[in-house]
């Protein structure tokens, strides 16, 4: 028997026609993702097999449904095959994650993102053909490690060996136009944006003059960007 509750396929079909994403698995990661998408104006169909999680999200997402995502019949009744983007955020049941992704791939969903709990799980998802495999705990651990070891205020790895780092503007940049500082030649990085105090962020250019207390975004090779963030 296919089990689902709170809403039927017609509501899901309407959501699929809008700017929408289906999120399967409403644990901590899936819930945070779904709420962030909603805050950005994206309609969200949330699916979980746990009745308590479904009830907890009732009224917070565009549509929330209790269903077994490993069963193709259940997903088709929810019109998942009409969604362009689906995120599989199941983390506590690796088998369910793999089976769900397999079903979604057989339905030819254009873009499937899936959470992996470890490298073996991720390898299986990649071998299945999942379009984007994400490692939330692993990625966050690496990010925090970079923040802990240095003076960076925030850190995003754009690609292996290349990063975007948020840091305080060092004194060598104060009161001088960026184009005259030679930071690209000397330090191998680019100051991409800046913020005066609590003001809005602005794109930086060669004429930008920074002041004490300013915050900057540094772009460049990870080691060089982190080293520049250490300067005072």
């Amino acid at each position: 028997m296919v089990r689902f509750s709170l809403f039927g396929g017609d509501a899901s079909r309407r959501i699929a026609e809008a700017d929408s994403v289906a999120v399967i698995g409403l644990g901590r990661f899936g819930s945070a993702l779904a709420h962030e998408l909603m805050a950005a104006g994206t309609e969200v169909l949330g699916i979980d097999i746990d009745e308590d999680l479904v009830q907890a999200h009732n009224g917070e997402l565009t549509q929330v449904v209790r269903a077994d995502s490993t069963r193709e019949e259940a997903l088709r009744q929810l019109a998942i095959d009409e969604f362009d983007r689906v995120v599989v955020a199941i983390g506590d049941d690796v088998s369910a994650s793999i089976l769900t992704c397999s079903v979604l791939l057989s339905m030819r969903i254009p873009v499937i993102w899936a959470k992996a709990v470890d490298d073996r799980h991720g390898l299986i998802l990649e071998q299945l053909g999942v379009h984007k495999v994400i490692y939330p705990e692993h990625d966050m651990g690496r990010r925090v490690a970079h923040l802990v070891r240095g003076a960076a205020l925030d850190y995003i790895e754009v690609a292996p060996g290349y990063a975007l780092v948020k840091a305080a503007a060092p004194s060598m940049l104060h009161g001088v136009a960026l184009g005259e500082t030679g930071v690209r030649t000397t330090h191998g990085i680019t100051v991409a944006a800046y913020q005066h105090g609590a003001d809005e962020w602005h794109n930086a250019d060669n004429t930008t003059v920074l002041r004490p207390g300013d915050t900057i975004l540094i772009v460049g090779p990870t080691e060089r960007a982190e080293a520049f963030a250490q300067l005072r």
Side-chain angles (χ1 to χ4, degrees):
M1 178 184 294
V2 176
R3 296 185 300 169
F4 59 94
S5 61
L6 299 189
F7 297 90
D10 290 341
S12 301
R13 192 164 290 106
R14 180 191 64 76
I15 296 174
E17 294 172 352
D19 175 25
S20 57
V21 176
V23 177
I24 301 176
L26 297 174
R28 286 178 297 178
F29 173 70
S31 176
L33 171 67
H35 283 93
E36 191 67 19
L37 287 169
M38 290 289 294
T42 298
E43 295 201 32
V44 176
L45 165 62
I47 301 172
D48 203 287
I49 199 168
D50 188 309
E51 182 68 30
D52 290 337
L53 286 176
V54 169
Q55 292 294 341
H57 289 82
N58 188 21
E60 297 182 356
L61 306 181
T62 309
Q63 180 185 2
V64 61
V65 180
R66 181 191 181 205
D68 182 353
S69 62
T70 66
R71 303 188 61 180
E72 182 173 348
E73 182 184 356
L75 295 183
R76 288 196 180 279
Q77 287 195 28
L78 294 171
I80 293 298
D81 54 318
E82 298 186 22
F83 280 76
D84 292 329
R85 297 166 293 174
V86 178
V87 180
V88 180
I90 300 171
D92 57 351
D93 188 335
V94 172
S95 295
S97 167
I98 293 170
L99 288 171
T100 297
C101 287
S102 179
V103 171
L104 293 172
L105 287 164
S106 72
M107 296 169 71
R108 300 186 183 279
I109 303 298
V111 180
I112 302 170
W113 291 61
K115 170 186 175 179
V117 297
D118 55 36
D119 291 341
R120 292 182 62 187
H121 183 197
L123 179 60
I124 293 172
L125 295 177
E126 290 173 359
Q127 291 175 335
L128 280 175
V130 171
H131 307 111
K132 180 66 176 179
V133 178
I134 49 181
Y135 301 81
E137 289 83 2
H138 175 269
D139 292 344
M140 181 55 70
R142 292 189 60 185
R143 181 182 180 190
V144 171
H146 284 279
L147 296 177
V148 169
R149 68 183 292 269
L153 302 175
D154 207 345
Y155 169 94
I156 298 175
E157 188 174 42
V158 179
Y162 201 84
L164 174 68
V165 178
K166 178 182 177 183
S171 59
M172 64 171 291
L173 300 183
H174 298 168
V176 184
L178 280 178
E180 299 176 12
T181 62
V183 290
R184 289 187 182 180
T185 302
T186 306
H187 297 277
I189 58 90
T190 297
V191 177
Y194 67 97
Q195 180 186 42
H196 291 314
D199 294 345
E200 294 182 355
W201 282 91
H202 301 280
N203 293 330
D205 57 33
N206 286 338
T207 65
T208 298
V209 177
L210 299 171
R211 305 188 298 239
D214 285 354
T215 305
I216 58 175
L217 292 182
I218 307 160
V219 181
T222 301
E223 290 186 3
R224 288 179 174 268
E226 288 190 311
F228 193 78
Q230 301 280 348
L231 299 178
R232 289 290 179 266

